[in-house]
Amino acid sequence: MYVDTAYLFHGISAETREKILAAAIEESHSPGDYLFRQGELAGHFYILNEGRVRLSVGKGLLAYTASTPGDIMGWSSLAENPTYTASAECRTPVKVLKLEKHRLDQILTQDCASGMRFFKNLAALMGRRLVSSYQ
């Protein structure tokens, strides 16, 4: 599992990281499967363990390809968006960790310092993807 290497989890306490791992569900998906579709209720976020996932908006406009273990997807659920703002299509066989948004909120509320670090890391990741989308 790649929670330890995912930038999103840098600086989070070991105890909180363990709780997050315990709450995660490991899933496997086939090429062509969707983890989520734009407009669906945003209740989970995902950490890539292996494979390639194409994130697209609108009518298939490529927004990002997640292919590095530890890449995250579905952050709409973490940013209080009621629905996903992109679709995530598996392009190869994919393994992910799936985390339920409300359970993650409960865990991070119990460790405010780790919760603050988590959301600072999320903001940094969103900024990086935004900048890379301009290139």
Side-chain angles (χ1 to χ4, degrees), residues 1-116:
M1 292 190 218
Y2 291 96
V3 170
D4 288 334
T5 61
Y7 176 78
L8 186 63
F9 293 96
H10 286 193
I12 291 179
S13 73
E15 180 182 345
T16 295
R17 199 174 305 124
E18 288 173 21
K19 288 179 182 179
I20 292 169
L21 275 174
I25 298 168
E26 203 166 5
E27 291 186 343
S28 296
H29 295 272
S30 299
D33 289 352
Y34 280 82
L35 301 178
F36 52 86
R37 292 179 190 264
Q38 185 176 357
E40 290 179 346
L41 291 179
H44 298 88
F45 92 101
Y46 301 81
I47 302 170
L48 184 67
N49 275 343
E50 59 184 67
R52 292 175 57 87
V53 178
R54 182 181 193 270
L55 297 164
S56 60
V57 294
K59 296 188 187 247
L61 179 64
L62 176 64
Y64 182 76
T65 299
S67 59
T68 303
D71 274 350
I72 64 165
M73 299 156 288
W75 62 29
S76 295
S77 65
L78 304 177
E80 297 298 323
N81 287 331
T83 59
Y84 291 111
T85 57
S87 296
E89 180 186 7
C90 301
R91 304 301 284 180
T92 65
V94 166
K95 290 185 181 178
V96 293
L97 290 180
K98 180 179 179 179
L99 290 141
E100 198 270 327
K101 179 243 188 302
H102 295 296
R103 180 67 187 121
L104 181 63
D105 284 347
Q106 290 172 339
I107 293 168
L108 293 175
T109 299
Q110 295 170 3
D111 178 358
C112 292
S114 289
M116 176 70 84

